[in-house]
Amino acid sequence: MKAEAAGVKEVPEVDVIIEIPRGSFLKRGSRGHIDFVSPLPCPFNYGAVPTLVGLEGDLLDVVVLGQRLHVGTRLRLPAWGAIVQRDRGMVDHKLICSAAPLDEAARRAVLRFFRFYARSKGLLNLLRGRPGRNACEGWIEAREALACARPRDASWRGPTVTF
């Protein structure tokens, strides 16, 4: 009997490359360039699925919980869920990955951070003159975010929107 047939959902796994280590003040984009220097350290390892492009045209974002990882680290991890983040009106999913399942406290902490991040990013966008709504719209199943992404092909040259 398959796990899904027994009522247990299969958790998708994704290949991840780390762009921003936990504790870093440098915010790098998917092409490796520094977007900005943050006044606060990143509380999570932040990276992308190098083979998938999200709805906003950039590589699909991934948050990796756990110990600090180096820039360029590649690993395969389960995606336990996703955050629906809206940046300048565009949906920007964030897969939430870790080696072990998330408990409710970890899930709430991730949501709390992204609500704060949305407000901070909204202020930064206002200062940069970049209009559009910024918000954390909540938690969804990882499969929902993955279904919205498209495969990266040879024509992809990076995001068309400046972040």
Side-chain angles (χ1 to χ4, degrees), residues 1-2 5-7 29-30 41 43 52 62 73 82 87 101 103 112-113 119 122 127 129-131 133 140 143 146 158:
M1 178 187 270
K2 290 184 76 171
S30 58
L52 295 175
V62 179
T73 299
D87 188 354
D103 60 20
R112 192 170 37 253
F113 168 77
R119 288 190 301 274
L127 294 172
R130 297 178 178 164
R133 182 172 178 262
I140 61 172
R143 289 189 191 287
L146 288 165

Side-chain angles (χ1 to χ4, degrees), residues 116-138:
F116 169 76
Y117 179 78
R119 288 190 301 274
S120 300
K121 189 73 183 276
L123 178 60
L124 181 62
N125 286 339
L126 180 68
L127 294 172
R128 289 178 168 175
R130 297 178 178 164
R133 182 172 178 262
N134 288 272
C136 173
E137 297 181 349

Side-chain angles (χ1 to χ4, degrees), residues 2 13 17 34 46 57 85 93 110 114 129 155:
K2 290 184 76 171
E13 288 191 350
I17 184 166
I34 295 175
Y46 203 84
Q85 195 76 12
H93 292 113
V110 169
F114 278 102
S155 68

Side-chain angles (χ1 to χ4, degrees), residues 35-145:
D35 288 343
F36 67 92
V37 178
S38 172
L40 301 171
C42 188
F44 312 112
N45 296 292
Y46 203 84
V49 178
T51 58
L52 295 175
V53 177
L55 291 173
E56 86 295 6
D58 199 2
L59 296 178
L60 183 60
D61 292 330
V62 179
V63 171
V64 178
L65 306 180
Q67 68 182 12
R68 179 178 162 72
L69 300 168
H70 296 285
V71 171
T73 299
R74 292 179 178 266
L75 58 162
R76 185 166 181 84
L77 289 168
W80 300 102
I83 296 292
V84 180
Q85 195 76 12
R86 193 164 293 273
D87 188 354
R88 295 173 40 208
M90 296 173 284
V91 172
D92 185 12
H93 292 113
K94 317 283 186 197
L95 292 177
I96 309 302
C97 296
S98 69
L102 275 65
D103 60 20
E104 189 57 31
R107 192 177 132 182
R108 280 194 311 270
V110 169
L111 274 167
R112 192 170 37 253
F113 168 77
F114 278 102
R115 287 182 182 123
F116 169 76
Y117 179 78
R119 288 190 301 274
S120 300
K121 189 73 183 276
L123 178 60
L124 181 62
N125 286 339
L126 180 68
L127 294 172
R128 289 178 168 175
R130 297 178 178 164
R133 182 172 178 262
N134 288 272
C136 173
E137 297 181 349
W139 187 274
I140 61 172
E141 294 290 325
R143 289 189 191 287
E144 293 177 65

